[in-house]
Amino acid sequence: MNKKILSLGLASILSAGCFAQIKPLVANKDAIRFSKAINPIDGRKHLSILASDEYEGRETGTKGAWMAADYIRNYFKSIGLKGPVNGDYFQKIDLANYSVSESMFTINGQPKQAYKDFVILSNSVGLNGFTFSANDVVFVGYGLTKDGYNDFDGINVEGKVVMMFAAGDPTAKAGDKTDRRQAMMARAKKMSYLAQGKAKAVILIDPTLDNITEARKASYTAGSNVMKTAENIERMKKQNPFTSISISTATANEILKTANTSVDAVQKKIAETMKPASQTLSVAISASAMKKETPVRCENVLGFLEGTDPVLKKEVLVLTGHYDHIGITPDVEGPDKINNGADDDGSGTTGVLLMAKAFSDAKKAGKGPKRSILFMTVVGEEKGLWGSEWYSEHPVFPVENTIADLNTDMIGRVGEEYLGKPDSANYIYSVGSKMLSSDLATLQDRVNATYTKMKLDFKYDDPNDTERIYYRSDHYNFAKLGIPIIFYYDGMLQQDYHRPGDEVSKINFELLAKRAHLTYYIGWELANQAKRPVVDMDGKGNPKK
């Protein structure tokens, strides 16, 4: 057994119950006194609002996320936290939406109707748009290159407009199923082949466009949001996406009739002969599209509690949770289309609000933390850790003064591995505490042994973790800067994950509060102890050389 994995397992056992082997702290009466603000009743009040249908799943850049941001800001303000961004509570993120503002597609000079006959998506249009025309189209069936079957046999695609079916494989065995991920990978492979072959453009025959609903049309016209970091801006400038146009079956038939055939006819021919039906079609095609940039409201919400020690208050502890979720999925089965995100991550956001109240109460009573604390709920985690990435590149407080980040992302439910087990109401996955600081790892064990006595499960510290949990939440953007972190997570990867079933009614508020208590007590110690946690590990849990 790998020695590192064995040590993690032993630590988990110790945390589960053998607290006598861990030197506990002296329980701080003030910490216990003010921890009462972290309770299931107030937790339910916050989460019932944040994860309500009214907030529409809090998708980044939408009304629901703005409502959540306003709620959090107003709450921070009401309990006396300060706005640290030039007096504001919002750290604005430079987010822009890129959509197709104008698109045109003609067959033999006859214009076709966008979002009925054809669709051009924004990700196939460069910043400067595109325009092209051609007097013939190369039809290549399914665009497959496999052993014994090659739709491109004898065809040079350079400079050509190529037409093919968006999906399908006539050589597949009966009963074989292709999931969405496999289909996307297959399409990407075809597009890469055409791009490398220097084709001018590709026309994809897509039957899903035959009856476009209003909801589907809205998803096509919505475009895509891009966070305008220096890296992304440079990438967009260099990016020259391969031009693709999706067309309906009827539109494809209009093109194919120039060769006296149709979609059904060529599909039947290929299926019966198991040979390609590739051919050049004499038909005039033209197309163009322009890309439009529109600013999108997007912000992290920050509340600041200044420390009481004249020297230590320059150092900052950060407590994070992401308030965004994935919004509404109109095509999901069933009447409920709203992904409420009660656990992911309404629960962690609620934990941050409860902890903010506890520390604020302590300061009002003259027992405030020596170091400063930044309570930060970030946006865009579901899009790729956007909010924390933005903060890491535009820190409000100097990175060198940031002593640690404690991140709560999904702390309200019981994950699959603990369902029905004795520890189901008394565990939490602790992720990353050992990666950068042995001090922080030791402090966690001692705090837990003193106050909460939870089972700490270190499963996801395993470097061979196939889920790569350590890299999948906002703490990671702090860890990349060399800031010690702990990420608390309940392990719910199957039940209702990113589905409308992630509802407030399924939250265990007693457990949510207990997990927030653990985070709070560690925060209390970090904010008040004499020295900040030393960074003596290499970011992977190995001692620095």
Side-chain angles (χ1 to χ4, degrees):
M1 181 178 284
N2 183 287
K3 188 176 290 186
K4 182 179 292 183
I5 296 175
L6 177 60
S7 68
L8 295 177
L10 288 172
S12 180
I13 293 171
L14 288 171
S15 296
C18 302
F19 297 110
Q21 299 180 43
I22 298 171
K23 184 179 179 181
L25 303 166
V26 176
N28 186 294
K29 293 181 180 179
D30 289 329
I32 296 171
R33 172 186 167 193
F34 296 108
S35 72
K36 295 176 182 177
I38 305 170
N39 61 77
I41 295 174
D42 287 340
R44 185 182 293 274
K45 289 178 181 177
H46 288 306
L47 192 53
S48 294
I49 294 171
L50 291 169
S52 65
D53 284 354
E54 184 182 3
Y55 280 50
E56 299 181 346
R58 309 186 305 279
E59 183 168 9
T60 298
T62 68
K63 180 183 75 171
W66 305 333
M67 293 171 69
D70 289 342
Y71 177 85
I72 297 164
R73 175 197 58 193
N74 294 341
Y75 184 72
F76 281 167
K77 189 175 182 179
S78 73
I79 61 175
L81 299 185
K82 303 300 182 184
V85 188
N86 298 319
D88 196 354
Y89 295 84
F90 287 166
Q91 182 188 36
K92 297 186 186 301
I93 293 171
D94 194 358
L95 186 69
N97 176 268
Y98 292 91
S99 61
V100 176
S101 60
E102 300 175 27
S103 61
M104 178 271 290
F105 182 65
T106 71
I107 302 174
N108 288 327
Q110 296 300 309
K112 310 310 293 181
Q113 185 176 338
Y115 308 109
K116 178 180 179 294
D117 303 317
F118 74 96
V119 170
I120 299 175
L121 298 177
S122 63
N123 60 8
S124 66
V125 183
L127 282 177
N128 297 318
F130 73 77
T131 183
F132 71 83
S133 61
N135 291 320
D136 52 52
V137 172
V138 178
F139 174 67
V140 293
Y142 294 90
L144 292 175
T145 53
K146 300 177 67 174
D147 291 341
Y149 185 96
N150 184 1
D151 279 318
F152 294 99
D153 188 26
I155 292 177
N156 181 3
V157 300
E158 184 173 356
K160 300 294 185 179
V161 175
V162 177
M163 185 171 77
M164 65 183 181
F165 296 114
D169 182 351
T171 68
K173 295 179 181 179
D176 285 356
K177 292 184 178 180
T178 302
D179 62 26
R180 184 180 179 185
R181 180 173 175 273
Q182 290 173 319
M184 290 176 65
M185 289 177 64
R187 180 182 293 193
K189 182 179 179 181
K190 297 175 188 178
M191 301 294 272
S192 176
Y193 178 88
L194 292 171
Q196 291 175 12
K198 299 181 181 180
K200 182 181 293 186
V202 62
I203 299 172
L204 298 168
I205 305 169
D206 188 350
T208 66
L209 304 185
D210 291 351
N211 294 287
I212 300 176
T213 63
E214 285 302 313
R216 180 66 64 84
K217 179 179 177 180
S219 71
Y220 291 148
T221 58
S224 58
N225 291 341
V226 176
M227 187 170 64
K228 296 177 67 176
T229 62
E231 180 181 356
N232 284 346
I233 292 171
E234 189 62 26
R235 176 183 58 80
M236 287 191 295
K237 287 179 178 178
K238 293 181 179 179
Q239 187 180 41
N240 184 23
F242 184 58
T243 300
S244 67
I245 301 170
S246 297
I247 62 173
S248 68
T249 302
T251 307
N253 282 333
E254 191 170 339
I255 296 173
L256 288 167
K257 75 178 182 181
T258 60
N260 297 314
T261 188
S262 67
V263 167
D264 287 342
V266 293
Q267 287 181 326
K268 182 180 180 182
K269 181 179 180 181
I270 293 171
E272 290 177 348
T273 65
M274 290 307 295
K275 294 180 179 179
S278 304
Q279 57 189 300
T280 298
L281 309 172
S282 180
V283 56
I285 297 289
S286 67
S288 64
M290 294 297 295
K291 189 171 249 185
K292 177 177 68 173
E293 177 183 321
T294 306
V296 178
R297 175 185 166 184
C298 182
E299 59 267 316
N300 294 326
V301 190
L302 284 61
F304 183 65
L305 189 72
E306 187 176 38
T308 58
D309 185 278
V311 176
L312 293 180
K313 70 179 183 181
K314 294 179 181 179
E315 297 182 345
V316 180
L317 166 68
V318 184
L319 302 181
T320 54
H322 73 89
Y323 71 84
D324 67 298
H325 193 53
I326 63 171
I328 300 172
T329 47
D331 293 335
V332 72
E333 292 184 9
D336 188 2
K337 311 294 185 185
I338 298 175
N339 299 280
N340 300 82
D343 192 35
D344 183 14
D345 181 34
S347 62
T349 299
T350 295
V352 173
L353 300 184
L354 296 176
M355 289 186 283
K357 180 66 162 58
F359 280 109
S360 180
D361 287 351
K363 184 169 183 180
K364 289 174 183 176
K367 302 294 182 179
K370 295 178 181 179
R371 290 183 176 85
S372 298
I373 302 179
L374 176 64
F375 302 91
M376 179 164 63
T377 59
V378 296
V379 72
E381 190 271 356
E382 302 290 4
K383 303 296 185 182
L385 312 186
W386 282 358
S388 54
E389 179 184 352
W390 187 266
Y391 183 88
S392 72
E393 295 184 3
H394 307 84
V396 175
F397 299 97
V399 169
E400 59 270 20
N401 291 352
T402 304
I403 67 163
D405 170 56
L406 304 180
N407 183 43
T408 49
D409 186 354
M410 300 173 64
I411 58 170
R413 290 182 65 174
V414 177
E416 289 77 20
E417 291 188 11
Y418 281 88
L419 283 172
K421 294 185 178 180
D423 292 315
S424 62
N426 194 47
Y427 83 95
I428 189 68
Y429 290 102
S430 171
V431 185
S433 64
K434 310 169 190 299
M435 297 301 188
L436 285 156
S437 173
S438 61
D439 280 355
L440 186 57
T442 300
L443 178 65
Q444 175 180 236
D445 286 339
R446 296 186 68 191
V447 165
N448 186 47
T450 305
Y451 295 103
T452 45
K453 296 181 172 59
M454 300 189 76
K455 175 177 179 178
L456 303 182
D457 193 323
F458 298 95
K459 169 185 175 178
Y460 295 112
D461 279 346
D462 184 345
N464 298 314
D465 167 32
T466 57
E467 300 291 346
R468 292 177 61 81
I469 294 297
Y470 175 64
Y471 306 94
R472 288 173 55 179
S473 191
D474 295 293
H475 62 280
Y476 185 61
N477 280 317
F478 288 88
K480 288 196 299 185
L481 298 175
I483 297 169
I485 63 91
I486 305 178
F487 164 34
Y488 290 115
Y489 165 58
D490 60 24
M492 194 195 77
L493 274 176
Q494 301 300 324
Q495 314 165 61
D496 304 316
Y497 179 69
H498 283 195
R499 298 185 181 96
D502 187 4
E503 299 270 11
V504 174
S505 61
K506 298 178 182 179
I507 297 295
N508 183 329
F509 284 96
E510 294 285 346
L511 189 53
L512 186 159
K514 188 162 191 178
R515 290 161 170 168
H517 273 128
L518 172 63
T519 314
Y520 159 79
Y521 283 122
I522 294 173
W524 185 282
E525 294 298 326
L526 287 170
N528 287 291
Q529 64 185 10
K531 295 182 179 180
R532 62 191 288 174
V534 64
V535 178
D536 57 355
M537 311 296 275
D538 66 354
K540 298 181 180 179
N542 304 308
K544 279 187 172 182
K545 295 180 180 180

